[in-house]
Amino acid sequence: MNTARLRTSALRSATCAAAPTTSRARIAGTTFIRTKATLPDLPYDYGALEPSISGKIMQLHHKNHHNTYVTSFNNFSEQMAEAKATENIQSQIALQPLINFHGGGHINHSLFWENLAPVNQGGGEPPTGKLAAAINDSYGGLDAFKDKFNTALAGIQGSGWAWLVQDTQTGSVGIKTYANQDPVVGQFRPILGVDAWEHAYYLDYQNRKAEYFKAIWNVINWKAAEKRFQ
């Protein structure tokens, strides 16, 4: 199955689409235009990551799950704008967790697609340069890092993500896990993430999620990770 090529960075698309749709809202007599989130295109075909991740999973994960986060985030954001316009504080409080969840799902998945690449496009090739040096300094080598990362993934109870992050204050790298769709924000910068939700692997691996955690390294796009590392 063919898909359009990625037109913009997936991270940028999480907040500002290349061809955005807009809506108008009015608060305190001032009209502003809010840019809506849009589903990013993939830079590879759905089946291009096989056998590590099947085309069926990629299609469902992208077109169904990610698209639901985008649609819900936009809908709840519209409701939030209305609640602010009417000064409905109770509704604003109720809507904020929903915006955080679906907005986080959009951001996380937009980064995740960039974290992956077919083998013939560099998937699985080890990191180089400053990122490789940082991993070596913190973990003693790439294999040791993968072992610790997969241990963190296996320790997630329920749904969540594991991330290689960079501390924006010290510049060092580390492994952190986040529940549900909580995004990496604040002191840490997301460098590389793996989705541990069942929808990311169950069709292929059923309850053998450790096999998924091992196989995904064959299609990890370290070049994208290197670009995020500062």
Side-chain angles (χ1 to χ4, degrees), residues 106-130:
H106 178 39
I107 291 173
N108 289 341
H109 284 86
S110 295
L111 291 170
F112 184 56
W113 309 134
E114 287 190 344
N115 283 162
L116 305 174
V119 173
N120 62 7
Q121 295 179 26
E125 293 181 2
T128 59
K130 293 181 179 180

Side-chain angles (χ1 to χ4, degrees), residues 213-224:
F213 298 152
K214 182 178 180 179
I216 200 170
W217 295 106
N218 296 324
V219 289
I220 286 294
N221 183 2
W222 283 104
K223 293 300 181 185

Side-chain angles (χ1 to χ4, degrees), residues 12-202:
R12 289 177 56 204
S13 73
T15 55
C16 183
T21 56
T22 60
S23 61
R24 295 180 180 271
R26 181 178 295 274
I27 297 179
T30 300
T31 299
F32 65 91
I33 298 177
R34 183 181 65 81
T35 301
K36 289 187 176 182
T38 58
L39 182 69
D41 297 324
L42 298 184
Y44 38 78
D45 293 344
Y46 285 131
L49 304 180
E50 294 180 348
S52 297
I53 306 176
S54 70
K56 183 63 173 177
I57 276 189
M58 288 299 296
Q59 183 176 8
L60 289 171
H61 201 170
H62 178 254
K63 291 182 67 176
N64 292 53
H65 289 282
H66 189 175
N67 195 47
T68 295
Y69 295 127
V70 171
T71 300
S72 298
F73 172 75
N74 288 330
N75 288 341
F76 291 128
S77 295
E78 292 285 352
Q79 294 177 37
M80 177 65 81
E82 178 64 24
K84 289 181 177 180
T86 58
E87 299 182 357
N88 188 332
I89 297 175
Q90 187 175 19
S91 291
Q92 292 177 52
I93 293 172
L95 286 166
Q96 193 59 60
L98 298 171
I99 291 173
N100 292 349
F101 177 82
H102 292 284
H106 178 39
I107 291 173
N108 289 341
H109 284 86
S110 295
L111 291 170
F112 184 56
W113 309 134
E114 287 190 344
N115 283 162
L116 305 174
V119 173
N120 62 7
Q121 295 179 26
E125 293 181 2
T128 59
K130 293 181 179 180
L131 179 57
I135 291 173
N136 289 337
D137 289 344
S138 296
Y139 298 99
L142 183 60
D143 288 339
F145 162 75
K146 289 179 181 179
D147 287 342
K148 290 185 179 297
F149 195 97
N150 284 0
T151 297
L153 278 167
I156 294 174
Q157 299 297 314
S159 302
W161 294 72
W163 291 90
L164 171 65
V165 302
Q166 183 179 18
D167 190 316
T168 59
Q169 297 180 7
T170 67
S172 62
V173 297
I175 297 169
K176 288 191 171 293
T177 58
Y178 291 78
N180 301 315
Q181 293 297 351
D182 290 349
V184 181
V185 294
Q187 182 178 345
F188 300 102
R189 177 183 300 113
I191 303 299
L192 182 148
V194 173
D195 189 349
W197 282 63
E198 282 192 347
H199 63 238
Y201 65 84
Y202 201 82

